[in-house]
Amino acid sequence: MGFGTETMAVSGLPMAREPLEELLQRVRPRLKQVLARYRIPAHDAEDLMQEALISTIQKWEQINDPEAWLLITLRNRCVVYWRKRRSSLYSTVDAAILELISEPQAAPQEKAELRWDLNLLLQALPPRCQKLLRLRYALGYDSDEVAAEMGYHPSSVRKVTRRCMSALTNQMARGGYLKKD
């Protein structure tokens, strides 16, 4: 593919397309800034850059502003990266909470210790999060029941639950309860 010889029309005027290699050299500092702003770990930054570049190359003929396209694509990849990471953390916490309150399968002393640790973590959360998580996971309330009990609109319960789970996840990470990848 000869990227350097292509032309594109902008406002009816043909314009020579900058070769991809030159574009990368010119925007490299800005790409690094995007990765730094989103605090992407170095071992994942290269993968996100490659994904953004592949997307750019695939759409090269249709792109009017390759620099803007590449930067926005990288930003979008960074957002998706953190959404997936948060989601996996929430799943870990959900599984841990469900495991703690499910029928006993662990030794009674181990389960008691886990409940003790979970209660300590919950006590560090705001009162509304404590109540919401206890209603949702310990008592098994569904979203409508939690909304009625706490005076929330039913559609906002999921968002508030995510925020409370995020706060609990942060408490668990600070307390050393979560393993790093």
Side-chain angles (χ1 to χ4, degrees), residues 1 5 18 24 30 36 55 57 96 109 118 125 139 144 150 155 160 172 174:
M1 281 188 174
T5 60
E18 175 181 25
L24 287 175
R30 292 187 62 200
S55 177
I57 291 168
Q109 183 174 350
L118 182 59
L125 299 178
L139 300 176
D144 291 333
M150 296 187 69
S155 64
V160 175
M172 291 178 78
R174 280 194 291 273

Side-chain angles (χ1 to χ4, degrees), residues 32 66 87:
K32 287 181 179 182
S87 178

